[in-house]
Amino acid sequence: MNKKVFLIVLHIMTAVSLSSQQNCLSTERLLAMDAAWEKALLTSDTQQLNSMLAEDFIWVHNHASLTDSKAMLLQRASDPKIGATGKTRSRVQRDVSVIIKGATGVVTGTTVVDRGPSPTTYHFMRTYVENNGNCLLLANHTMAVPDKGE
């Protein structure tokens, strides 16, 4: 009888352990995914963007000046004259934080985007969701941070 109980407990512990390993929503994984998102935007990597975006992805840009779907972003990224975010020289993140609740993770911070002649700082909030052990970017909202003189 004790052997049976031991095997049942061991089975449950193994299942719980595997389940927690499959969960992509950890601070470390979300930070890595978000850095990969920034790199994919910088290089207009359509394969990376396609694999990390949810089918119903939405990106609301500065003051709702533009709203992208997954298809719209991939189309722009595949055009070498335009690129995912224009002629961007660099994208540098800072002050990044992560909040995780259930199957949802939110990453916030700022990105300094250099397209010349002077960089623009954007505040961002991105929502990642876990679906069958896979994390996808569902929503992105970016807002230009005004210069202190404005």
Side-chain angles (χ1 to χ4, degrees), residues 109-121:
T110 57
T111 302
V112 179
V113 178
D114 184 4
R115 291 187 197 97
S118 59
T120 303
T121 301

Side-chain angles (χ1 to χ4, degrees), residues 55-108:
E55 288 305 314
D56 47 355
F57 167 79
I58 184 170
W59 181 353
V60 179
H61 295 263
N62 197 40
H63 297 288
S65 60
L66 176 67
T67 301
D68 274 322
S69 65
K70 179 178 182 174
M72 292 168 64
L73 178 59
L74 291 173
Q75 179 181 9
R76 195 170 57 247
S78 66
D79 185 339
K81 294 177 191 163
I82 302 170
T85 59
K87 301 289 182 190
T88 304
R89 296 181 213 158
S90 67
R91 301 179 68 86
V92 179
Q93 288 182 302
R94 63 178 190 226
D95 304 323
V96 180
S97 62
V98 175
I99 302 166
I100 299 171
K101 295 289 182 200
T104 305
V106 176
V107 180
T108 63

Side-chain angles (χ1 to χ4, degrees), residues 36-53:
W37 160 255
E38 291 284 3
K39 183 178 179 188
L41 287 177
L42 180 63
T43 61
S44 293
D45 184 341
T46 55
Q47 281 188 311
Q48 178 71 18
L49 292 168
N50 187 48
S51 71
M52 68 188 322
L53 298 178

Side-chain angles (χ1 to χ4, degrees), residues 4-58:
K4 256 186 184 176
V5 171
F6 174 75
L7 289 175
I8 291 171
V9 169
L10 182 62
H11 180 70
I12 291 170
M13 288 176 56
T14 301
V16 168
S17 175
L18 288 174
S19 171
S20 67
Q21 288 174 7
Q22 290 177 349
N23 186 352
C24 61
L25 290 175
S26 70
T27 297
E28 296 78 22
R29 283 185 164 177
L30 287 176
L31 290 173
M33 272 192 72
D34 209 64
W37 160 255
E38 291 284 3
K39 183 178 179 188
L41 287 177
L42 180 63
T43 61
S44 293
D45 184 341
T46 55
Q47 281 188 311
Q48 178 71 18
L49 292 168
N50 187 48
S51 71
M52 68 188 322
L53 298 178
E55 288 305 314
D56 47 355
F57 167 79
I58 184 170

